[in-house]
Amino acid sequence: MIISPIQYENEKFGLLMIGSVGREKLLNGDDKFLIDQVTRMLSFYFRNAQLFQKETTLKNTFQKYVPAAVIDGLDKISTGSGALSPKNTEICSVFVDLRGFTAISEKLMPDVVATMLNRYYEWITSIFAKYGGIVDNLVGDGVIVFFPNLEKNSKYVEDATKALFEIIERIDEFRNYFESRHISVPGIGIGMDAGLATLGSLGGSYRLNYTAIGDVVNTASRLEGLTKVFSETYSETKVSCVVSKVIIDAIGPMHRHFSAMGEHD
């Protein structure tokens, strides 16, 4: 009997054992050479299968943070860094804020606050993801999202606007869940702008974050801040949204759902 290990470097996958069939046909040196070649091929096969499984697992995990289009479309800076190369891309930037959440959270136990936030994140991020949005960051009750024009899709602004409309349509679904648990949920403020941004990795060797940077992101944040004015003026408004003229010009007939505010610095 010839026993040949199936292994790649120091990692063992198993053993290949082959014995003679009867005394007339004993295994010889040529047979051992052939068996060694077979185990060598099997070792590479199992190693490649293992690497593919790891790559698939990592990709599936990463897609919870970044859509597949980003993973497949961006190049690595280097094989060792694991960072995604910066790329100038047109995006629609969206900032979302849960009104009055700080005051509410001060009256609740931490575990209740965590449950509330997770429910809120699940609800709103699933809507953004449905239309191709990438969640950039979750900061307290704030959600930062961007819709990239990765494939030269001229409808990325429309997609972001459709996500906004669905949030408005389903806001009662979100509010009712918590009000049924005697938790008063305030309104939501949303700011949106579109323009050129740089997408890629930001951070150091110990921590990287795939994010968007640029004036368009800052403008969306400032527009979201303006929604506080409307929350105070229109107390019954459940979702207040302020968008830039760039958004209005890009969404075609959907612009009729917005009212002009005029010029603002």
Side-chain angles (χ1 to χ4, degrees), residues 48-73:
N48 289 333
Q50 185 183 62
L51 291 175
F52 177 77
Q53 184 179 25
K54 288 182 178 180
E55 181 182 350
T56 301
T57 301
L58 287 173
K59 185 173 182 179
N60 291 338
T61 301
F62 195 37
Q63 283 178 3
K64 294 181 180 180
Y65 304 90
V66 180
V70 176
I71 301 173
D72 297 334

Short mmCIF file of all heavy atoms in Angstrom, two decimals, residues 48-73:
data_model
loop_
_atom_site.label_atom_id
_atom_site.label_comp_id
_atom_site.label_asym_id
_atom_site.label_seq_id
_atom_site.Cartn_x
_atom_site.Cartn_y
_atom_site.Cartn_z
N ASN A 48 -7.18 25.82 -3.50
CA ASN A 48 -7.93 26.81 -4.26
C ASN A 48 -9.39 26.87 -3.82
O ASN A 48 -9.99 27.94 -3.75
CB ASN A 48 -7.86 26.49 -5.76
CG ASN A 48 -6.49 26.77 -6.33
OD1 ASN A 48 -5.75 27.62 -5.81
ND2 ASN A 48 -6.13 26.07 -7.40
N ALA A 49 -9.97 25.71 -3.52
CA ALA A 49 -11.35 25.67 -3.03
C ALA A 49 -11.47 26.38 -1.70
O ALA A 49 -12.45 27.10 -1.43
CB ALA A 49 -11.82 24.22 -2.91
N GLN A 50 -10.46 26.20 -0.85
CA GLN A 50 -10.45 26.86 0.46
C GLN A 50 -10.35 28.37 0.30
O GLN A 50 -11.07 29.13 0.97
CB GLN A 50 -9.29 26.32 1.28
CG GLN A 50 -9.24 26.84 2.71
CD GLN A 50 -8.01 26.32 3.44
OE1 GLN A 50 -6.88 26.61 3.05
NE2 GLN A 50 -8.23 25.55 4.51
N LEU A 51 -9.45 28.83 -0.59
CA LEU A 51 -9.29 30.26 -0.82
C LEU A 51 -10.56 30.87 -1.41
O LEU A 51 -10.97 31.98 -1.06
CB LEU A 51 -8.11 30.52 -1.76
CG LEU A 51 -6.73 30.22 -1.17
CD1 LEU A 51 -5.66 30.40 -2.25
CD2 LEU A 51 -6.43 31.14 0.02
N PHE A 52 -11.21 30.13 -2.32
CA PHE A 52 -12.45 30.61 -2.93
C PHE A 52 -13.54 30.76 -1.88
O PHE A 52 -14.31 31.73 -1.88
CB PHE A 52 -12.90 29.65 -4.03
CG PHE A 52 -14.21 30.04 -4.66
CD1 PHE A 52 -14.27 31.07 -5.58
CD2 PHE A 52 -15.38 29.38 -4.30
CE1 PHE A 52 -15.48 31.43 -6.16
CE2 PHE A 52 -16.60 29.74 -4.87
CZ PHE A 52 -16.64 30.76 -5.81
N GLN A 53 -13.62 29.78 -0.97
CA GLN A 53 -14.62 29.84 0.09
C GLN A 53 -14.38 31.04 1.00
O GLN A 53 -15.32 31.75 1.37
CB GLN A 53 -14.60 28.56 0.90
CG GLN A 53 -15.69 28.50 1.98
CD GLN A 53 -15.66 27.19 2.75
OE1 GLN A 53 -14.63 26.54 2.83
NE2 GLN A 53 -16.79 26.80 3.31
N LYS A 54 -13.11 31.30 1.34
CA LYS A 54 -12.79 32.44 2.19
C LYS A 54 -13.12 33.75 1.47
O LYS A 54 -13.66 34.68 2.07
CB LYS A 54 -11.31 32.40 2.57
CG LYS A 54 -10.95 31.33 3.58
CD LYS A 54 -9.47 31.40 3.95
CE LYS A 54 -9.12 30.34 5.00
NZ LYS A 54 -7.68 30.39 5.35
N GLU A 55 -12.77 33.81 0.18
CA GLU A 55 -13.05 35.03 -0.59
C GLU A 55 -14.54 35.29 -0.68
O GLU A 55 -15.00 36.43 -0.56
CB GLU A 55 -12.45 34.90 -1.99
CG GLU A 55 -12.66 36.13 -2.85
CD GLU A 55 -12.10 35.96 -4.25
OE1 GLU A 55 -11.39 34.96 -4.49
OE2 GLU A 55 -12.36 36.82 -5.10
N THR A 56 -15.32 34.21 -0.90
CA THR A 56 -16.77 34.35 -0.99
C THR A 56 -17.35 34.82 0.33
O THR A 56 -18.23 35.68 0.37
CB THR A 56 -17.40 33.01 -1.39
OG1 THR A 56 -16.86 32.59 -2.65
CG2 THR A 56 -18.91 33.15 -1.51
N THR A 57 -16.85 34.25 1.44
CA THR A 57 -17.33 34.65 2.76
C THR A 57 -17.02 36.11 3.04
O THR A 57 -17.88 36.87 3.52
CB THR A 57 -16.69 33.76 3.85
OG1 THR A 57 -17.02 32.40 3.61
CG2 THR A 57 -17.19 34.17 5.23
N LEU A 58 -15.79 36.52 2.73
CA LEU A 58 -15.40 37.91 2.94
C LEU A 58 -16.22 38.86 2.08
O LEU A 58 -16.64 39.93 2.53
CB LEU A 58 -13.91 38.09 2.64
CG LEU A 58 -12.94 37.51 3.67
CD1 LEU A 58 -11.50 37.60 3.16
CD2 LEU A 58 -13.06 38.24 5.02
N LYS A 59 -16.46 38.47 0.83
CA LYS A 59 -17.23 39.31 -0.08
C LYS A 59 -18.67 39.46 0.40
O LYS A 59 -19.23 40.55 0.40
CB LYS A 59 -17.20 38.72 -1.49
CG LYS A 59 -17.87 39.61 -2.52
CD LYS A 59 -17.68 39.05 -3.92
CE LYS A 59 -18.31 39.96 -4.95
NZ LYS A 59 -18.11 39.46 -6.34
N ASN A 60 -19.26 38.34 0.83
CA ASN A 60 -20.63 38.39 1.33
C ASN A 60 -20.74 39.26 2.58
O ASN A 60 -21.72 39.97 2.78
CB ASN A 60 -21.14 36.98 1.63
CG ASN A 60 -21.35 36.16 0.37
OD1 ASN A 60 -21.52 36.72 -0.71
ND2 ASN A 60 -21.35 34.85 0.50
N THR A 61 -19.70 39.17 3.43
CA THR A 61 -19.69 40.00 4.64
C THR A 61 -19.52 41.47 4.28
O THR A 61 -20.22 42.35 4.81
CB THR A 61 -18.55 39.57 5.58
OG1 THR A 61 -18.74 38.20 5.94
CG2 THR A 61 -18.53 40.43 6.84
N PHE A 62 -18.59 41.76 3.35
CA PHE A 62 -18.32 43.14 2.96
C PHE A 62 -19.52 43.77 2.28
O PHE A 62 -19.74 44.99 2.35
CB PHE A 62 -17.10 43.18 2.03
CG PHE A 62 -16.51 44.54 1.86
CD1 PHE A 62 -16.47 45.45 2.91
CD2 PHE A 62 -15.97 44.93 0.64
CE1 PHE A 62 -15.91 46.69 2.75
CE2 PHE A 62 -15.41 46.17 0.46
CZ PHE A 62 -15.39 47.06 1.54
N GLN A 63 -20.33 42.95 1.59
CA GLN A 63 -21.50 43.48 0.90
C GLN A 63 -22.55 44.00 1.86
O GLN A 63 -23.47 44.71 1.46
CB GLN A 63 -22.11 42.40 -0.01
CG GLN A 63 -21.32 42.19 -1.30
CD GLN A 63 -21.90 41.08 -2.15
OE1 GLN A 63 -22.93 40.51 -1.82
NE2 GLN A 63 -21.24 40.79 -3.25
N LYS A 64 -22.44 43.65 3.14
CA LYS A 64 -23.34 44.22 4.14
C LYS A 64 -23.01 45.68 4.37
O LYS A 64 -23.81 46.44 4.91
CB LYS A 64 -23.24 43.45 5.46
CG LYS A 64 -23.73 42.00 5.37
CD LYS A 64 -23.62 41.31 6.71
CE LYS A 64 -24.11 39.87 6.63
NZ LYS A 64 -24.00 39.17 7.93
N TYR A 65 -21.79 46.06 4.01
CA TYR A 65 -21.34 47.44 4.18
C TYR A 65 -21.25 48.19 2.85
O TYR A 65 -21.53 49.38 2.78
CB TYR A 65 -19.95 47.46 4.85
CG TYR A 65 -19.91 46.74 6.16
CD1 TYR A 65 -19.61 45.38 6.22
CD2 TYR A 65 -20.21 47.40 7.35
CE1 TYR A 65 -19.59 44.70 7.43
CE2 TYR A 65 -20.19 46.72 8.56
CZ TYR A 65 -19.87 45.38 8.59
OH TYR A 65 -19.86 44.71 9.79
N VAL A 66 -20.86 47.48 1.80
CA VAL A 66 -20.67 48.09 0.49
C VAL A 66 -21.29 47.20 -0.58
O VAL A 66 -21.06 45.99 -0.58
CB VAL A 66 -19.17 48.28 0.19
CG1 VAL A 66 -18.96 48.92 -1.16
CG2 VAL A 66 -18.51 49.11 1.28
N PRO A 67 -22.09 47.74 -1.50
CA PRO A 67 -22.70 46.93 -2.54
C PRO A 67 -21.68 46.23 -3.42
O PRO A 67 -20.52 46.66 -3.54
CB PRO A 67 -23.51 47.96 -3.36
CG PRO A 67 -23.80 49.05 -2.38
CD PRO A 67 -22.59 49.12 -1.50
N ALA A 68 -22.11 45.18 -4.10
CA ALA A 68 -21.21 44.39 -4.94
C ALA A 68 -20.59 45.23 -6.05
O ALA A 68 -19.45 44.98 -6.47
CB ALA A 68 -21.98 43.21 -5.54
N ALA A 69 -21.32 46.22 -6.56
CA ALA A 69 -20.80 47.06 -7.64
C ALA A 69 -19.53 47.79 -7.21
O ALA A 69 -18.63 48.01 -8.01
CB ALA A 69 -21.85 48.07 -8.08
N VAL A 70 -19.46 48.15 -5.95
CA VAL A 70 -18.28 48.84 -5.43
C VAL A 70 -17.12 47.86 -5.32
O VAL A 70 -15.99 48.16 -5.69
CB VAL A 70 -18.57 49.47 -4.06
CG1 VAL A 70 -17.31 50.11 -3.49
CG2 VAL A 70 -19.66 50.52 -4.19
N ILE A 71 -17.41 46.67 -4.79
CA ILE A 71 -16.37 45.66 -4.61
C ILE A 71 -15.77 45.26 -5.95
O ILE A 71 -14.56 45.12 -6.10
CB ILE A 71 -16.93 44.43 -3.88
CG1 ILE A 71 -17.49 44.84 -2.51
CG2 ILE A 71 -15.86 43.36 -3.72
CD1 ILE A 71 -18.20 43.73 -1.80
N ASP A 72 -16.62 45.08 -6.95
CA ASP A 72 -16.16 44.62 -8.26
C ASP A 72 -15.57 45.74 -9.10
O ASP A 72 -14.76 45.49 -9.99
CB ASP A 72 -17.32 43.98 -9.03
CG ASP A 72 -17.86 42.74 -8.34
OD1 ASP A 72 -17.08 42.11 -7.60
OD2 ASP A 72 -19.04 42.42 -8.52
N GLY A 73 -15.93 46.98 -8.80
CA GLY A 73 -15.55 48.08 -9.67
C GLY A 73 -14.33 48.87 -9.26
O GLY A 73 -13.78 49.62 -10.06
#
